[in-house]
Amino acid sequence: MKQVIIATKNEGKAKEFKDFFEPYNINAVSLLELPDNIPDIEETGGTFEENAALKAETITDLLGTPVLADDSGLVIDSLDGRPGIFSARYAGETKDDQANIQKVLYELENVTTEKRTARFVCVLAISIPNKETIFCKGTCDGSIASFPEGEHGFGYDPIFVPKGYSKTMAELTPSEKNNISHRKNAIIQLEDWLKGIY
């Protein structure tokens, strides 16, 4: 089985990528499964693309192996695109999903339903030794609910209602979410690359 390193220590994200890669007979190994000597890479980029490339290329340089990194976040139109690249730490330096959700809901307190449009964005960067980094971008359009609902997923899933649905991402089953997620839409673009490489 071929292997690709997934540059994440987020268990939820790691599992989603494992599920996505399994049909291609590719073993996706997250940073959680590697020795602890891989440093946390500071996301100093100004865009999703820059941050994803930074992570993928740094780890490829360290390990000399193909690495896939993603940078993803929630873009809310009425907040001028925030939280955007700061989605994971929107409420502070410690990653706290609940605090992030509460901050978004507070900022949208007086915003009407039709103006609560938003999208999840995912940019994948695939770094292969001695080759140019490949990028794929996926989005999932929707809107922000007035309060959290649902037990599944992670991050902002409990307040994000995908377009065409009447329930939040966190109320969908994992397979329902995987079919429409921004990450899935980015990975669809990888299919030709996967077939070519593997």
Side-chain angles (χ1 to χ4, degrees):
M1 188 185 262
K2 299 287 185 179
Q3 183 170 294
V4 62
I5 305 295
I6 308 297
T8 186
K9 291 180 181 176
N10 177 315
E11 281 183 41
K13 205 180 273 189
K15 186 179 183 327
E16 281 186 17
F17 276 118
K18 280 182 183 294
D19 293 346
F20 280 135
F21 277 107
E22 200 176 16
Y24 295 98
N25 210 32
I26 296 168
N27 183 26
V29 178
S30 78
L31 297 182
L32 293 166
E33 300 164 78
L34 295 176
D36 285 336
N37 56 0
I38 293 173
D40 280 334
I41 290 125
E42 216 178 318
E43 296 176 17
T44 53
T47 64
F48 292 120
E49 284 81 0
E50 287 172 9
N51 282 333
L54 210 64
K55 288 185 273 191
E57 291 165 5
T58 304
I59 295 170
T60 289
D61 290 346
L62 278 171
L63 302 177
T65 188
V67 176
L68 183 150
D70 88 312
D71 196 40
S72 49
L74 179 64
V75 173
I76 301 172
D77 296 320
S78 64
L79 298 181
D80 300 321
R82 295 192 313 276
I85 59 169
F86 305 107
S87 291
R89 295 182 175 86
Y90 195 44
E93 268 312 297
T94 52
K95 293 182 180 180
D96 184 335
D97 288 350
Q98 287 313 111
N100 290 337
I101 284 171
Q102 290 312 318
K103 182 172 180 180
V104 164
L105 291 179
Y106 174 74
E107 291 186 334
L108 292 176
E109 214 165 28
N110 300 313
V111 178
T112 57
T113 306
E114 60 275 11
K115 289 188 175 168
R116 296 171 79 100
T117 52
R119 71 206 49 83
F120 276 126
V121 176
C122 173
V123 172
L124 303 178
I126 305 95
S127 175
I128 300 164
N130 307 315
K131 291 192 179 174
E132 206 169 305
T133 300
I134 298 160
F135 293 97
C136 296
K137 183 176 184 176
T139 59
C140 177
D141 289 311
S143 60
I144 304 300
S146 299
F147 48 86
E149 288 274 15
E151 302 298 319
H152 300 295
F154 58 94
Y156 295 92
D157 287 353
I159 57 167
F160 185 82
V161 179
K163 200 173 184 177
Y165 287 76
S166 57
K167 49 188 178 179
T168 70
M169 200 78 114
E171 292 178 283
L172 303 179
T173 66
S175 63
E176 283 176 318
K177 176 189 169 176
N178 281 351
N179 281 332
I180 62 164
S181 80
H182 49 309
R183 205 161 285 117
K184 168 69 179 231
N185 290 331
I187 282 194
I188 285 169
Q189 298 173 47
L190 278 180
E191 288 184 336
D192 289 342
W193 175 78
L194 287 171
K195 287 168 187 163
I197 298 291
Y198 295 119

